[in-house]
Amino acid sequence: MDYPLLNAFWTMCLIFLWVMWLFLLVRIIGDIFRSRDLNNWAKTGWLVLVILLPFVGVFVYVLARGRSMSEREVAQLEQQQKQLKTYIRETAATEGEGARHAESLAKLAELKAHGDLTEEEFQQAKAKVLA
């Protein structure tokens, strides 16, 4: 054992910091591409800075645009939540109408099977349900 415990701890800390920085770099590159308030030249400039001088570029980006980065993330999540709720409402409304039509047709078929409705009455009621 030629590797003391303190060196192992220090190595783990450095690996953790490197992974954290790498995660931040990926988030920043994603934010640069998604940002609508930057024109293409500004996006290119930020990407060049972040890729060519990674440590300095990440820290400068966080200092310059860190607050708006979180605001854009929150706005995007709110928009996704709103789209999800709209989709659920539309789907539930469509399935609800279909279920009511199916129930009505099942009741009509049952009445016809028991002889309570004639074929003509059944077809008229069915057309009214499906209309």
Side-chain angles (χ1 to χ4, degrees):
M1 300 252 308
D2 198 25
Y3 201 66
L5 184 62
L6 190 58
N7 284 351
F9 177 74
W10 180 246
T11 302
M12 287 188 330
C13 286
L14 288 177
I15 290 172
F16 173 75
L17 288 174
W18 183 77
V19 169
M20 188 172 63
W21 174 82
L22 192 60
F23 177 74
L24 186 60
L25 177 67
V26 170
R27 291 276 313 245
I28 286 174
I29 291 174
D31 186 61
I32 290 171
F33 280 112
R34 283 190 306 250
S35 181
R36 296 188 185 272
D37 60 337
L38 290 176
N39 62 22
N40 290 339
W41 288 106
K43 288 180 182 184
T44 304
W46 277 115
L47 281 173
V48 167
L49 181 66
V50 168
I51 291 172
L52 292 181
L53 299 169
F55 290 108
V56 174
V58 166
F59 294 130
V60 170
Y61 189 86
V62 169
L63 289 175
R65 296 179 48 90
R67 181 171 304 204
S68 61
M69 186 175 163
S70 64
E71 291 169 357
R72 281 188 299 278
E73 183 75 22
V74 168
Q76 180 186 6
L77 291 174
E78 287 174 351
Q79 181 185 13
Q80 287 177 347
Q81 184 70 22
K82 191 168 91 174
Q83 289 174 346
L84 177 66
K85 285 182 181 179
T86 303
Y87 173 75
I88 290 172
R89 281 190 198 112
E90 290 173 357
T91 304
T94 303
E95 289 177 0
E97 292 173 10
R100 280 181 270 157
H101 291 315
E103 288 176 16
S104 298
L105 290 174
K107 288 179 185 177
L108 287 173
E110 186 178 324
L111 288 173
K112 182 183 170 206
H114 287 297
D116 295 335
L117 290 177
T118 64
E119 179 65 31
E120 184 179 310
E121 293 171 333
F122 174 73
Q123 293 300 330
Q124 287 176 353
K126 183 172 118 177
K128 195 180 282 187
V129 168
L130 294 176

